[in-house]
Amino acid sequence: PDVTIEQLLTMTSGIEHVQNYYRQEVSDLQGSSNWRPVDVVGLVILDFVSPGTYSYSNTNTFLLGLIAEHKGGQKLNELYKSELLDPLDLVALLLPEDAAPPNTARPHDDRSEWGGTGFGDISEASYHADWYQATGKTSWAAAGMITTPENVARWAYELFSEQGSGISPTARTSLMSSFVGPLVEIGPEKQQYGYHSTKRTFSLSGRSITAYGHPGSGGGFVSDVHYSPELDMSVALLINSHSD
């Protein structure tokens, strides 16, 4: 009860992740018709540790989603749409509260880990009739959105750029001031972690470039997004495989 929203945002809450997605309890929840986001939090079996140390855990994001629903009085997908997406003419869906469009890219990986053989569409190896709805129940606020690279890049620009209108100037100042901790292991490079966002620097044609964004992977997909204030440009990359 003493964990703060800031600690949830910065992954320093001490609240652990759901361990082993092959557990029967996880599979049962993915197939349940009575799914509730809070049920996923109940799947955490690792002990709570004292807050203060960075440890990436999707449970933090689930709790943030539950807080948003409680304070906003609406389902999270409806809040996303009314508060963030519609004002910017962006389109994105949130599983499992929204259904995946029929042309959604299929997830690819080594199917032997999912009950099949060889590299290919891992959803075909799953016993779940609807892969997106099933996996969406254990990803939800943490990784359950379906959209296009254009929408992701637009959102990053509207969120991080001083010219953006995704959030208020006061909220953006708070966001951009949150990258104060040490470099942590997330994605391909060590980065600083702020309010559910990352900050890193890299060299581009001899220039030092700052990039704000967030990497992600799992369930047959990889995503990455960066916004550079020096270039005033955002780039998004979505891949329907998380295999090396």
Side-chain angles (χ1 to χ4, degrees):
D2 292 332
V3 169
T4 66
I5 289 177
E6 182 172 49
Q7 288 167 337
L8 294 174
L9 284 166
T10 56
M11 300 291 172
T12 58
S13 69
I15 300 171
E16 294 291 345
H17 58 87
V18 176
Q19 191 180 37
N20 186 0
Y21 278 79
Y22 297 101
R23 284 165 49 205
Q24 188 61 47
E25 298 92 331
V26 177
S27 297
D28 289 346
L29 182 59
Q30 288 179 330
S32 172
S33 59
N34 299 315
W35 170 88
R36 301 177 305 161
V38 71
D39 295 332
V40 180
V41 180
L43 294 173
V44 176
I45 57 176
L46 298 175
D47 290 340
F48 172 76
V49 298
S50 297
T53 302
Y54 170 86
S55 178
Y56 199 94
S57 167
N58 284 343
T59 313
N60 292 297
T61 319
F62 264 78
L63 291 169
L64 289 166
L66 289 167
I67 292 168
E69 287 194 336
H70 175 68
K71 296 296 289 185
Q74 291 179 281
K75 295 293 187 182
L76 189 60
N77 61 329
E78 296 168 353
L79 286 169
Y80 281 164
K81 182 171 168 50
S82 63
E83 300 298 319
L84 302 174
L85 300 173
D86 283 355
L88 299 172
D89 291 326
L90 298 177
V91 178
L93 304 173
L94 178 65
L95 299 169
E97 293 169 337
D98 298 320
N103 62 340
T104 301
R106 310 298 297 182
H108 285 66
D109 196 13
D110 179 359
R111 299 198 299 180
S112 64
E113 298 183 11
W114 306 84
T117 58
F119 179 87
D121 184 344
I122 59 178
S123 66
E124 293 178 347
S126 170
Y127 61 85
H128 291 298
D130 189 326
W131 167 266
Y132 302 109
Q133 285 295 101
T135 57
K137 292 172 183 174
T138 45
S139 59
W140 189 54
M145 297 201 80
I146 295 178
T147 188
T148 66
E150 180 182 11
N151 280 292
V152 176
R154 277 276 321 283
W155 168 247
Y157 189 90
E158 299 288 355
L159 178 65
F160 293 114
S161 172
E162 291 184 355
Q163 285 74 49
S165 55
I167 54 179
S168 70
T170 300
R172 182 176 294 107
T173 297
S174 178
L175 171 64
M176 303 305 271
S177 300
S178 67
F179 303 96
V180 296
L183 295 177
V184 298
E185 295 280 355
I186 179 171
E189 302 286 341
K190 285 189 174 183
Q191 308 185 54
Q192 278 187 301
Y193 204 85
Y195 290 165
H196 217 295
S197 304
T198 59
K199 177 184 179 181
R200 60 174 287 201
T201 58
F202 60 94
S203 178
L204 180 66
S205 301
R207 293 179 60 189
S208 181
I209 301 296
T210 307
Y212 298 93
H214 205 293
S217 68
F221 298 95
V222 169
S223 63
D224 212 346
V225 60
H226 296 294
Y227 167 75
S228 166
E230 292 91 352
L231 303 176
D232 194 31
M233 180 178 71
S234 60
V235 177
L237 179 67
L238 305 182
I239 306 171
N240 62 327
S241 173
H242 66 231
S243 172
D244 291 337

